[in-house]
Amino acid sequence: MNFPPRRFRTRGLAGASSPVWRMDGPLVVAVAALAMIGTLLIWSSTRTWAPGSTGLLKKHLLNLGIGTALAVAAATVDHRALRAYSPLVYGAAALGLVLVITPVGSEVNGAHSWIMLGGGFALQPSEFAKLGLVLALSMLLAQPAVGSDRPRGLDVVIALGVAGLTMGLVMAQPDFGTTMVLGVITAGALILSGIRKRWVVALAAAVAAGGAAVWFLDVLEPYQVARFTAFVDPSTDPRGVGYNSTQSVNAVGSGQLFGKGLFGGGQTMGRFVPEQHTDFVFTVAGEEFGFLGSVTVVVLLGVVLLRGLRIARLCENRFGMLVAGTIVCWLGFQVLINVGMTIGVMPITGLPLPFVSYGGTATFANMIAVGILQAIHMHEHRF
C-alpha cells in the first residue's frame, strides 16, 4: 500500500491542532445565523424612526463587532486559568452593581440599571453580573468534599451568600427580570454540583416563601405588579398594562405561516408594539417571517443550548462543566421567558432575546459566554 508523503500528514495534523479546527462549528454557525437574523429584524423595526434611518443599525453592528472580539478573546483563555480570575470578575461586576444604584447610575424605563458613558452609549452592569455569578458559583462549588463527589456544606452556604448579595443589589435597582435570571443561574449551579436532596427541598421552600413575601409585602413596584396582572388577563386593560401583551400576540399571529416579508409588517412599521427592537424583537420575526421564520429562530437558539449542554457533558474538568452547564441555564431561561412573553404564555419581564435583540452590554455578555463555551470545548477536546 502506498502512503502519502510524510510532509502532507504532518501538515494535516498541524491544521487540526489550530484553534479554528478545534472550535465547536455548529455553535459558531448558530450564533452567527442568529446575529444575522437579529440584524435584519432590528433594521426592520427601527428604520422608520431611528436617527438617520440606519443610526441604530450601525450601532448594533458596532456592538456585534465588539462582542465578537470579546468572544474570540474569551475563547483563547484556558478555562482552568479563568478559575483563578473568577473572584476578580465577580468583584468587578459587584462593584458595577453598587455604582449603578448611586448617583453615578441612571434610570431607564423605571429601573436604575444604567451607567451613561456619553456619545449615546451606556453600560448595564447587571448583564456582566450574570457572568460574574456563573464564574463565582462554579469556582465555589467545583471542589468536592474529601471522600465525596458533592461540594461541602460550607461551600454551599458561601455560594448562597454570594448569590444573595448579587440578587439583592439587582433587586435594589429594581430589575425583577434579571433577578430571576440570577436565581436560575444559582439553582442551576447548585443542582449541577450535586448538592444533596435536602438542600434542594430547603431551597425550594425558601424560594416559595420569599416569593410570597415579595408579593404580599408590596416589595414589587406598581408597574411590575401590573405586568403580572396583565399576564393573567390582558383583556382587563387592553389599552393600559395589557397593551404590550395584546399587541405582541397580534403581531406574531398576523404573520401566519410565511409572514408578510421583510419590511412588510404593518404592526412593525406602525410601531404598535413598544420596544420592538429589544424586548419584543421576536414579534418582528413572527410578523415578517411568519411561523416558519419564528421556528427557525427557536431552532437556532436550541442548537446553541444543545451544543452548550454537550460541551458541559463532555468536559472532564468539574469547574468547566459547571460553567458550561450554568451558562446554558442562563441563556435557556432568557429564551423561554422572552419567546413566552411575546406569545402570551409568560409575564412581561423585559428580558432581551439572546443574540437577536438590540443591546450593547447584553450582546457583550452573551458573546463572552459563547467564547467561554468555546474555550471549554477547545481546551478539553484536543485532536
Side-chain angles (χ1 to χ4, degrees), residues 345-370:
V345 299
M346 288 288 180
I348 295 174
T349 55
L351 292 174
L353 188 61
F355 313 111
V356 181
S357 292
Y358 174 86
T361 315
T363 298
F364 302 158
N366 293 335
M367 296 299 280
I368 292 173
V370 170

PDB file of all heavy atoms in Angstrom, residues 345-370:
ATOM      1  N   VAL A 345     -47.667  33.542  26.898  1.00  0.00           N
ATOM      2  CA  VAL A 345     -47.682  32.442  27.863  1.00  0.00           C
ATOM      3  C   VAL A 345     -46.758  32.710  29.042  1.00  0.00           C
ATOM      4  O   VAL A 345     -46.634  31.868  29.930  1.00  0.00           O
ATOM      5  CB  VAL A 345     -47.312  31.099  27.189  1.00  0.00           C
ATOM      6  CG1 VAL A 345     -48.315  30.747  26.111  1.00  0.00           C
ATOM      7  CG2 VAL A 345     -45.901  31.136  26.622  1.00  0.00           C
ATOM      8  N   MET A 346     -46.077  33.847  29.051  1.00  0.00           N
ATOM      9  CA  MET A 346     -45.212  34.247  30.158  1.00  0.00           C
ATOM     10  C   MET A 346     -45.445  35.730  30.452  1.00  0.00           C
ATOM     11  O   MET A 346     -45.775  36.502  29.541  1.00  0.00           O
ATOM     12  CB  MET A 346     -43.730  34.031  29.807  1.00  0.00           C
ATOM     13  CG  MET A 346     -43.295  32.578  29.765  1.00  0.00           C
ATOM     14  SD  MET A 346     -43.219  31.879  31.423  1.00  0.00           S
ATOM     15  CE  MET A 346     -42.696  30.203  31.026  1.00  0.00           C
ATOM     16  N   PRO A 347     -45.275  36.147  31.711  1.00  0.00           N
ATOM     17  CA  PRO A 347     -45.435  37.575  32.024  1.00  0.00           C
ATOM     18  C   PRO A 347     -44.311  38.401  31.410  1.00  0.00           C
ATOM     19  O   PRO A 347     -43.210  37.897  31.173  1.00  0.00           O
ATOM     20  CB  PRO A 347     -45.362  37.605  33.556  1.00  0.00           C
ATOM     21  CG  PRO A 347     -44.608  36.375  33.936  1.00  0.00           C
ATOM     22  CD  PRO A 347     -44.976  35.340  32.904  1.00  0.00           C
ATOM     23  N   ILE A 348     -44.584  39.663  31.146  1.00  0.00           N
ATOM     24  CA  ILE A 348     -43.599  40.566  30.554  1.00  0.00           C
ATOM     25  C   ILE A 348     -42.578  40.950  31.612  1.00  0.00           C
ATOM     26  O   ILE A 348     -42.936  41.465  32.676  1.00  0.00           O
ATOM     27  CB  ILE A 348     -44.285  41.808  29.977  1.00  0.00           C
ATOM     28  CG1 ILE A 348     -45.199  41.399  28.818  1.00  0.00           C
ATOM     29  CG2 ILE A 348     -43.261  42.836  29.508  1.00  0.00           C
ATOM     30  CD1 ILE A 348     -46.038  42.527  28.267  1.00  0.00           C
ATOM     31  N   THR A 349     -41.311  40.683  31.342  1.00  0.00           N
ATOM     32  CA  THR A 349     -40.263  40.948  32.332  1.00  0.00           C
ATOM     33  C   THR A 349     -39.129  41.811  31.794  1.00  0.00           C
ATOM     34  O   THR A 349     -38.235  42.173  32.543  1.00  0.00           O
ATOM     35  CB  THR A 349     -39.654  39.621  32.834  1.00  0.00           C
ATOM     36  OG1 THR A 349     -39.197  38.852  31.705  1.00  0.00           O
ATOM     37  CG2 THR A 349     -40.683  38.806  33.593  1.00  0.00           C
ATOM     38  N   GLY A 350     -39.124  42.107  30.517  1.00  0.00           N
ATOM     39  CA  GLY A 350     -38.079  42.987  29.983  1.00  0.00           C
ATOM     40  C   GLY A 350     -36.747  42.309  29.771  1.00  0.00           C
ATOM     41  O   GLY A 350     -35.703  42.964  29.844  1.00  0.00           O
ATOM     42  N   LEU A 351     -36.748  41.005  29.496  1.00  0.00           N
ATOM     43  CA  LEU A 351     -35.502  40.298  29.212  1.00  0.00           C
ATOM     44  C   LEU A 351     -35.289  40.197  27.703  1.00  0.00           C
ATOM     45  O   LEU A 351     -36.196  39.778  26.982  1.00  0.00           O
ATOM     46  CB  LEU A 351     -35.528  38.888  29.816  1.00  0.00           C
ATOM     47  CG  LEU A 351     -35.498  38.801  31.344  1.00  0.00           C
ATOM     48  CD1 LEU A 351     -35.685  37.362  31.797  1.00  0.00           C
ATOM     49  CD2 LEU A 351     -34.199  39.362  31.889  1.00  0.00           C
ATOM     50  N   PRO A 352     -34.115  40.570  27.185  1.00  0.00           N
ATOM     51  CA  PRO A 352     -33.872  40.508  25.742  1.00  0.00           C
ATOM     52  C   PRO A 352     -33.685  39.076  25.258  1.00  0.00           C
ATOM     53  O   PRO A 352     -33.383  38.170  26.055  1.00  0.00           O
ATOM     54  CB  PRO A 352     -32.582  41.313  25.566  1.00  0.00           C
ATOM     55  CG  PRO A 352     -31.871  41.157  26.885  1.00  0.00           C
ATOM     56  CD  PRO A 352     -32.950  41.107  27.922  1.00  0.00           C
ATOM     57  N   LEU A 353     -33.872  38.867  23.961  1.00  0.00           N
ATOM     58  CA  LEU A 353     -33.660  37.556  23.344  1.00  0.00           C
ATOM     59  C   LEU A 353     -32.187  37.417  22.992  1.00  0.00           C
ATOM     60  O   LEU A 353     -31.658  38.197  22.203  1.00  0.00           O
ATOM     61  CB  LEU A 353     -34.521  37.412  22.087  1.00  0.00           C
ATOM     62  CG  LEU A 353     -34.547  36.030  21.425  1.00  0.00           C
ATOM     63  CD1 LEU A 353     -35.095  34.985  22.391  1.00  0.00           C
ATOM     64  CD2 LEU A 353     -35.399  36.074  20.158  1.00  0.00           C
ATOM     65  N   PRO A 354     -31.475  36.444  23.574  1.00  0.00           N
ATOM     66  CA  PRO A 354     -30.025  36.332  23.354  1.00  0.00           C
ATOM     67  C   PRO A 354     -29.654  36.249  21.875  1.00  0.00           C
ATOM     68  O   PRO A 354     -30.294  35.525  21.103  1.00  0.00           O
ATOM     69  CB  PRO A 354     -29.668  35.025  24.084  1.00  0.00           C
ATOM     70  CG  PRO A 354     -30.712  34.885  25.139  1.00  0.00           C
ATOM     71  CD  PRO A 354     -31.970  35.430  24.526  1.00  0.00           C
ATOM     72  N   PHE A 355     -28.641  37.025  21.486  1.00  0.00           N
ATOM     73  CA  PHE A 355     -28.039  37.049  20.151  1.00  0.00           C
ATOM     74  C   PHE A 355     -28.946  37.662  19.087  1.00  0.00           C
ATOM     75  O   PHE A 355     -28.542  37.776  17.938  1.00  0.00           O
ATOM     76  CB  PHE A 355     -27.631  35.638  19.696  1.00  0.00           C
ATOM     77  CG  PHE A 355     -26.880  34.868  20.734  1.00  0.00           C
ATOM     78  CD1 PHE A 355     -27.449  33.767  21.349  1.00  0.00           C
ATOM     79  CD2 PHE A 355     -25.601  35.248  21.107  1.00  0.00           C
ATOM     80  CE1 PHE A 355     -26.762  33.061  22.318  1.00  0.00           C
ATOM     81  CE2 PHE A 355     -24.900  34.550  22.076  1.00  0.00           C
ATOM     82  CZ  PHE A 355     -25.488  33.447  22.686  1.00  0.00           C
ATOM     83  N   VAL A 356     -30.154  38.058  19.450  1.00  0.00           N
ATOM     84  CA  VAL A 356     -31.098  38.596  18.462  1.00  0.00           C
ATOM     85  C   VAL A 356     -31.486  40.040  18.790  1.00  0.00           C
ATOM     86  O   VAL A 356     -31.511  40.891  17.908  1.00  0.00           O
ATOM     87  CB  VAL A 356     -32.363  37.714  18.363  1.00  0.00           C
ATOM     88  CG1 VAL A 356     -33.319  38.267  17.310  1.00  0.00           C
ATOM     89  CG2 VAL A 356     -31.994  36.272  18.040  1.00  0.00           C
ATOM     90  N   SER A 357     -31.795  40.320  20.050  1.00  0.00           N
ATOM     91  CA  SER A 357     -32.256  41.652  20.434  1.00  0.00           C
ATOM     92  C   SER A 357     -31.145  42.695  20.319  1.00  0.00           C
ATOM     93  O   SER A 357     -29.956  42.377  20.435  1.00  0.00           O
ATOM     94  CB  SER A 357     -32.765  41.643  21.876  1.00  0.00           C
ATOM     95  OG  SER A 357     -33.950  40.886  21.994  1.00  0.00           O
ATOM     96  N   TYR A 358     -31.561  43.943  20.123  1.00  0.00           N
ATOM     97  CA  TYR A 358     -30.631  45.061  20.150  1.00  0.00           C
ATOM     98  C   TYR A 358     -30.172  45.295  21.586  1.00  0.00           C
ATOM     99  O   TYR A 358     -30.953  45.208  22.527  1.00  0.00           O
ATOM    100  CB  TYR A 358     -31.317  46.321  19.613  1.00  0.00           C
ATOM    101  CG  TYR A 358     -30.480  47.573  19.723  1.00  0.00           C
ATOM    102  CD1 TYR A 358     -29.572  47.903  18.724  1.00  0.00           C
ATOM    103  CD2 TYR A 358     -30.600  48.418  20.827  1.00  0.00           C
ATOM    104  CE1 TYR A 358     -28.802  49.055  18.827  1.00  0.00           C
ATOM    105  CE2 TYR A 358     -29.842  49.559  20.933  1.00  0.00           C
ATOM    106  CZ  TYR A 358     -28.942  49.870  19.929  1.00  0.00           C
ATOM    107  OH  TYR A 358     -28.173  51.005  20.038  1.00  0.00           O
ATOM    108  N   GLY A 359     -28.904  45.624  21.744  1.00  0.00           N
ATOM    109  CA  GLY A 359     -28.387  45.925  23.075  1.00  0.00           C
ATOM    110  C   GLY A 359     -26.885  45.784  23.108  1.00  0.00           C
ATOM    111  O   GLY A 359     -26.332  44.839  22.529  1.00  0.00           O
ATOM    112  N   GLY A 360     -26.228  46.699  23.783  1.00  0.00           N
ATOM    113  CA  GLY A 360     -24.772  46.666  23.845  1.00  0.00           C
ATOM    114  C   GLY A 360     -24.249  45.725  24.911  1.00  0.00           C
ATOM    115  O   GLY A 360     -23.615  44.712  24.611  1.00  0.00           O
ATOM    116  N   THR A 361     -24.536  46.013  26.179  1.00  0.00           N
ATOM    117  CA  THR A 361     -23.994  45.220  27.273  1.00  0.00           C
ATOM    118  C   THR A 361     -24.485  43.783  27.208  1.00  0.00           C
ATOM    119  O   THR A 361     -23.720  42.840  27.463  1.00  0.00           O
ATOM    120  CB  THR A 361     -24.373  45.826  28.633  1.00  0.00           C
ATOM    121  OG1 THR A 361     -24.165  47.233  28.604  1.00  0.00           O
ATOM    122  CG2 THR A 361     -23.527  45.228  29.734  1.00  0.00           C
ATOM    123  N   ALA A 362     -25.766  43.583  26.881  1.00  0.00           N
ATOM    124  CA  ALA A 362     -26.301  42.224  26.772  1.00  0.00           C
ATOM    125  C   ALA A 362     -25.601  41.445  25.666  1.00  0.00           C
ATOM    126  O   ALA A 362     -25.279  40.260  25.826  1.00  0.00           O
ATOM    127  CB  ALA A 362     -27.809  42.280  26.517  1.00  0.00           C
ATOM    128  N   THR A 363     -25.345  42.116  24.541  1.00  0.00           N
ATOM    129  CA  THR A 363     -24.627  41.460  23.445  1.00  0.00           C
ATOM    130  C   THR A 363     -23.224  41.072  23.879  1.00  0.00           C
ATOM    131  O   THR A 363     -22.758  39.952  23.598  1.00  0.00           O
ATOM    132  CB  THR A 363     -24.551  42.393  22.226  1.00  0.00           C
ATOM    133  OG1 THR A 363     -25.877  42.672  21.758  1.00  0.00           O
ATOM    134  CG2 THR A 363     -23.752  41.760  21.095  1.00  0.00           C
ATOM    135  N   PHE A 364     -22.541  41.964  24.581  1.00  0.00           N
ATOM    136  CA  PHE A 364     -21.180  41.665  25.041  1.00  0.00           C
ATOM    137  C   PHE A 364     -21.186  40.465  25.986  1.00  0.00           C
ATOM    138  O   PHE A 364     -20.356  39.546  25.848  1.00  0.00           O
ATOM    139  CB  PHE A 364     -20.585  42.879  25.760  1.00  0.00           C
ATOM    140  CG  PHE A 364     -20.530  44.135  24.938  1.00  0.00           C
ATOM    141  CD1 PHE A 364     -20.457  45.379  25.536  1.00  0.00           C
ATOM    142  CD2 PHE A 364     -20.547  44.071  23.549  1.00  0.00           C
ATOM    143  CE1 PHE A 364     -20.401  46.528  24.785  1.00  0.00           C
ATOM    144  CE2 PHE A 364     -20.497  45.228  22.779  1.00  0.00           C
ATOM    145  CZ  PHE A 364     -20.434  46.460  23.402  1.00  0.00           C
ATOM    146  N   ALA A 365     -22.112  40.461  26.951  1.00  0.00           N
ATOM    147  CA  ALA A 365     -22.159  39.368  27.927  1.00  0.00           C
ATOM    148  C   ALA A 365     -22.478  38.035  27.257  1.00  0.00           C
ATOM    149  O   ALA A 365     -21.855  37.005  27.554  1.00  0.00           O
ATOM    150  CB  ALA A 365     -23.194  39.682  29.007  1.00  0.00           C
ATOM    151  N   ASN A 366     -23.441  38.042  26.339  1.00  0.00           N
ATOM    152  CA  ASN A 366     -23.807  36.804  25.645  1.00  0.00           C
ATOM    153  C   ASN A 366     -22.656  36.270  24.804  1.00  0.00           C
ATOM    154  O   ASN A 366     -22.392  35.059  24.784  1.00  0.00           O
ATOM    155  CB  ASN A 366     -25.022  37.049  24.750  1.00  0.00           C
ATOM    156  CG  ASN A 366     -26.273  37.359  25.542  1.00  0.00           C
ATOM    157  OD1 ASN A 366     -26.401  36.974  26.710  1.00  0.00           O
ATOM    158  ND2 ASN A 366     -27.208  38.047  24.927  1.00  0.00           N
ATOM    159  N   MET A 367     -21.960  37.164  24.105  1.00  0.00           N
ATOM    160  CA  MET A 367     -20.858  36.723  23.250  1.00  0.00           C
ATOM    161  C   MET A 367     -19.672  36.232  24.081  1.00  0.00           C
ATOM    162  O   MET A 367     -18.988  35.269  23.703  1.00  0.00           O
ATOM    163  CB  MET A 367     -20.436  37.858  22.323  1.00  0.00           C
ATOM    164  CG  MET A 367     -21.521  38.273  21.345  1.00  0.00           C
ATOM    165  SD  MET A 367     -22.043  36.945  20.228  1.00  0.00           S
ATOM    166  CE  MET A 367     -20.717  37.008  19.015  1.00  0.00           C
ATOM    167  N   ILE A 368     -19.420  36.873  25.214  1.00  0.00           N
ATOM    168  CA  ILE A 368     -18.359  36.382  26.100  1.00  0.00           C
ATOM    169  C   ILE A 368     -18.718  34.988  26.598  1.00  0.00           C
ATOM    170  O   ILE A 368     -17.858  34.101  26.694  1.00  0.00           O
ATOM    171  CB  ILE A 368     -18.151  37.346  27.278  1.00  0.00           C
ATOM    172  CG1 ILE A 368     -17.555  38.670  26.795  1.00  0.00           C
ATOM    173  CG2 ILE A 368     -17.230  36.724  28.329  1.00  0.00           C
ATOM    174  CD1 ILE A 368     -17.470  39.740  27.869  1.00  0.00           C
ATOM    175  N   ALA A 369     -19.992  34.771  26.922  1.00  0.00           N
ATOM    176  CA  ALA A 369     -20.434  33.448  27.375  1.00  0.00           C
ATOM    177  C   ALA A 369     -20.181  32.395  26.305  1.00  0.00           C
ATOM    178  O   ALA A 369     -19.721  31.281  26.605  1.00  0.00           O
ATOM    179  CB  ALA A 369     -21.922  33.499  27.738  1.00  0.00           C
ATOM    180  N   VAL A 370     -20.461  32.724  25.044  1.00  0.00           N
ATOM    181  CA  VAL A 370     -20.190  31.790  23.947  1.00  0.00           C
ATOM    182  C   VAL A 370     -18.689  31.549  23.815  1.00  0.00           C
ATOM    183  O   VAL A 370     -18.241  30.420  23.576  1.00  0.00           O
ATOM    184  CB  VAL A 370     -20.772  32.325  22.622  1.00  0.00           C
ATOM    185  CG1 VAL A 370     -20.292  31.502  21.435  1.00  0.00           C
ATOM    186  CG2 VAL A 370     -22.284  32.313  22.676  1.00  0.00           C
TER     187      VAL A 370
END
